[in-house]
């Protein structure tokens, strides 16, 4: 099996990517997911609230 080479023909060391389990243990990943989920919930609830207010006639278009 041949090794990975760059454009000059020199061998390039392959960097190992972390496993899914290692990434899942990282607290920063969970923090980012929590922020994204919170923003998604806030935006969706604001849109639903606006649609309900418009459909019930509380806001004048």
């Amino acid at each position: 099996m041949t090794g990975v080479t760059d454009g000059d023909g020199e061998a390039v060391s392959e960097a190992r990517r972390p496993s899914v389990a290692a990434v899942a243990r990282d607290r920063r990943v969970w923090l980012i997911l929590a922020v994204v989920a919170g923003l998604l919930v806030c935006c969706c609830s604001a849109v639903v609230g606006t649609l309900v207010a418009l459909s019930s006639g509380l806001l004048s278009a």
Side-chain angles (χ1 to χ4, degrees):
M1 187 169 174
T2 61
V4 178
T5 60
D6 61 4
D8 296 332
E10 296 179 5
V12 176
S13 62
E14 294 182 28
R16 292 183 53 107
R17 295 190 318 177
S19 66
V20 175
V23 172
R25 284 192 297 262
D26 194 359
R27 292 179 188 217
R28 291 173 295 180
V29 173
W30 292 110
L31 178 63
I32 292 169
L33 288 175
V35 169
V36 169
L39 289 173
L40 186 64
V41 167
C42 288
C43 290
C44 289
S45 64
V47 168
V48 169
T50 302
L51 290 175
V52 169
L54 282 172
S55 66
S56 64
L58 295 176
L59 299 176
S60 57

